[in-house]
């Protein structure tokens, strides 16, 4: 009798341990939020089999790292190239994923011609608004009903919370943001529309973003959510700072999503917490201390950092609707080349051989327990 009972207990424990080992990110957090990753073409065209398998198993939402940016889909006036973007969307549909579009109006990766006339002079407000409307209508319209959420405006704010003086802002004025949202809504009235930015954990920038979103809401602009990108370091932001945008934006009645999560484990190349793509810092061996592998102590610290972040997101279950990692494995991350080129960084949950890292296990273990 005692043996039978013991056998039953051991069997249940084995099944539970197995279930734990088999847990996936999307299942572990399914009662709280979607979990996703940003993809590059090798991943959604099946060239990278190992990563393809991770994506299909672990994630229920995807973002395009580059293929839906203006310079890729609309490189010249009147010339659109949707070849890569179509494959991205097909991949998402085949795998029943929540497909994100990124991004419609940004200061980076937009060709110069967009802002200039044929003599190279800045175009008028009306011309630029027409170009914006035409681009948004064409791109959002093409994927109507298939892409479920768009990053409409990306990174419109400076670190001090003032408006970034991008060509959009300089030529059209502050209402370029409102216009972009309205054009996107006209192109697909059912699609979710987001404002997306980094370092919203810092007070000054968050204050600027809160004012911006409040004004948009007051004017009845169709905005669904705010993306807090989440390009983090080991020691910034604190967990309290991570909670700031979640609490503050959800009070405005918008969804909050973590749209570009990664954690930089390398020494900071600058004092600032920016993710501005224009920043470039010269190579220096001191800035690249782990070219041959991550020391175990750092690996464990990264695992704890990731678990603390996911624990915090789960604490705000319902307010946080999606957590998307900016890449799949450490091999592909933009963090290997920014702000210093050719470093060996370790910012994601899967290593260079597409194997789950201790951080992956830690994130799974931190998932909310379901009632049995
Ligand atoms: O496509 C060209 C290719 O033809 C050329 O041979 C190659 C040589 O360097 O460059 C390729 O373009 C690169 C592009 O990624 C596609 O791989 C650019 O140099 C490179 O600068 C570009 O970087 C992207 C960056 O945005 C540029 O703005 C990163 O992959 C991408 O991760 C990053 O993503 C941004 C988000 O969109 C917004 N938030 C910040 C985030 C990180 O910067």
């Amino acid at each position: 009798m005692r043996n039978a009972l013991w056998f039953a207990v051991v069997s249940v424990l084995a099944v539970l341990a197995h279930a734990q080992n088999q847990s996936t990110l999307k299942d572990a957090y399914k009662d709280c939020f979607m979990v996703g990753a940003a993809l590059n073409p090798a991943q959604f065209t099946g060239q990278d089999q190992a990563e393809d398998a991770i994506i299909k198993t672990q994630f229920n939402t995807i973002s395009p790292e580059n293929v839906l940016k203006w310079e890729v889909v609309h490189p010249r006036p009147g010339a659109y190239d949707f070849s890569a973007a179509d494959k991205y969307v097909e991949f998402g549909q085949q795998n029943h994923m929540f497909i994100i579009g990124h991004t419609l109006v940004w200061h980076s990766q937009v060709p110069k011609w967009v802002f200039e006339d044929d003599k190279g002079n800045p175009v008028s407000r009306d011309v630029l608004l027409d170009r914006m409307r035409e681009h948004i209508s064409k791109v959002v319209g093409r994927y109507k009903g298939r892409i479920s959420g768009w990053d409409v405006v990306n990174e419109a704010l400076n670190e001090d919370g003032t408006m970034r003086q991008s060509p959009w802002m300089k030529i059209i004025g502050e209402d370029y943001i409102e216009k972009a949202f309205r054009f996107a809504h006209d192109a697909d009235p059912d699609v979710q529309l987001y404002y997306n930015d980094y370092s919203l954990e810092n007070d000054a920038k968050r204050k600027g973003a809160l004012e911006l979103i409040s004004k948009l809401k007051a004017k009845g602009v169709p905005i669904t959510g705010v993306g807090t990108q989440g390009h983090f370091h080991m020691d910034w932001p604190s967990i309290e700072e991570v909670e700031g945008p979640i609490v503050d934006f959800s009070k405005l009645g918008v969804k909050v999503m973590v749209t570009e999560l990664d954690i930089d484990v390398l020494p900071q190349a600058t004092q600032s917490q920016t993710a501005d793509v224009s920043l470039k810092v010269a190579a220096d061996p001191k800035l690249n201390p782990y070219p041959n592998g991550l020391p175990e102590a750092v690996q464990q610290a990264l695992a704890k950092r990731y678990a603390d972040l996911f624990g915090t997101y789960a604490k705000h279950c319902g307010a946080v609707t999606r957590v998307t990692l900016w890449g799949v494995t450490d091999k592909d991350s933009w963090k290997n080349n920014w702000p210093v080129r050719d470093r060996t960084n370790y910012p994601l949950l899967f290593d260079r051989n597409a194997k789950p890292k201790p951080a992956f296990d830690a994130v799974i273990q931190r998932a909310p327990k379901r009632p049995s």
Side-chain angles (χ1 to χ4, degrees), residues 65-66 69 102 106 109 154-155 229 260 277 326 334:
E65 188 175 1
N66 287 298
K69 290 174 179 172
H102 171 88
W106 191 24
Q109 291 180 284
N154 205 38
E155 302 171 7
Q229 293 186 3
E260 305 187 11
V277 288
W326 202 243
W334 74 295

Side-chain angles (χ1 to χ4, degrees), residues 36-59 62 65 91 95 97 325-333 336 348-356:
L39 307 191
N40 62 41
Q43 293 158 342
F44 57 74
T45 57
Q47 275 173 52
D48 195 326
Q49 292 286 315
E51 298 199 4
D52 184 79
I54 293 175
I55 297 159
K56 289 177 178 160
T57 315
Q58 300 293 336
F59 303 118
I62 52 172
E65 188 175 1
F91 177 89
N95 294 293
M97 289 163 162
L325 294 138
W326 202 243
V328 178
T329 74
D330 289 341
K331 167 168 71 76
D332 312 302
S333 168
N336 294 307
L348 296 166
L349 296 177
F350 293 87
D351 70 16
R352 287 177 160 68
N353 298 314
K355 295 279 176 291

Side-chain angles (χ1 to χ4, degrees), residues 15-271:
V15 169
L16 288 176
H18 183 73
Q20 185 79 353
N21 287 338
Q22 295 302 304
S23 243
T24 63
L25 295 167
K26 65 183 178 190
D27 287 341
Y29 287 89
K30 75 171 183 221
D31 296 336
C32 279
F33 44 74
M34 295 179 281
V35 186
L39 307 191
N40 62 41
Q43 293 158 342
F44 57 74
T45 57
Q47 275 173 52
D48 195 326
Q49 292 286 315
E51 298 199 4
D52 184 79
I54 293 175
I55 297 159
K56 289 177 178 160
T57 315
Q58 300 293 336
F59 303 118
N60 47 17
T61 172
I62 52 172
S63 299
E65 188 175 1
N66 287 298
V67 299
L68 269 163
K69 290 174 179 172
W70 194 308
E71 69 177 11
V72 180
V73 292
H74 193 181
R76 289 174 303 285
Y80 285 86
D81 178 358
F82 290 111
S83 49
D86 282 355
K87 291 197 178 97
Y88 160 76
V89 173
E90 277 158 26
F91 177 89
Q93 285 198 286
Q94 277 161 10
N95 294 293
H96 313 290
M97 289 163 162
F98 188 92
I99 305 172
I100 299 294
H102 171 88
T103 178
L104 297 169
V105 176
W106 191 24
H107 59 276
S108 179
Q109 291 180 284
V110 186
K112 265 171 65 186
W113 67 260
V114 175
F115 306 109
E116 295 177 350
D117 65 17
D118 46 16
K119 296 192 183 62
N121 297 318
V123 290
S124 67
R125 168 184 159 93
D126 286 347
V127 168
L128 189 54
L129 277 172
D130 276 350
R131 287 181 183 176
M132 184 204 268
R133 186 205 320 262
E134 195 255 352
H135 175 85
I136 291 178
S137 152
K138 183 94 174 174
V139 180
V140 175
R142 184 177 185 89
Y143 301 112
K144 186 176 176 184
R146 294 190 283 162
I147 284 187
S148 301
W150 272 101
D151 289 337
V152 179
V153 175
N154 205 38
E155 302 171 7
L157 295 165
N158 294 315
E159 301 316 286
D160 65 1
T162 58
M163 294 290 294
R164 184 193 286 271
Q165 290 303 307
S166 67
W168 298 109
M169 175 69 184
K170 284 189 194 150
I171 297 172
I172 298 175
E174 195 168 334
D175 65 341
Y176 85 87
I177 297 180
E178 170 183 345
K179 297 284 185 193
F181 277 90
R182 293 199 190 280
F183 296 156
H185 182 71
D186 290 346
D188 183 353
D190 295 324
V191 76
Q192 297 188 8
L193 303 175
Y194 316 129
Y195 174 72
N196 189 48
D197 213 330
Y198 56 82
S199 299
L200 297 175
E201 294 72 21
N202 291 345
D203 287 343
K205 192 162 186 179
R206 182 166 71 259
K207 192 161 168 287
L210 286 165
E211 279 169 20
L212 173 67
I213 306 304
S214 302
K215 276 194 223 161
L216 294 175
K217 294 281 287 179
K219 285 181 167 175
V221 174
I223 176 167
T224 323
V226 172
T228 64
Q229 293 186 3
H231 294 296
F232 291 160
H233 296 268
M234 292 295 279
D235 55 1
W236 175 85
S238 68
I239 290 302
E240 291 70 33
E241 287 168 328
V242 168
E243 291 187 292
I246 302 172
V247 172
D248 289 354
F249 289 113
S250 50
K251 277 189 198 147
L252 296 184
V254 289
K255 296 177 193 287
V256 181
M257 37 215 91
V258 182
T259 51
E260 305 187 11
L261 182 61
D262 50 25
I263 302 174
D264 194 331
V265 299
L266 300 184
Q268 267 191 254
T270 65
Q271 289 307 307

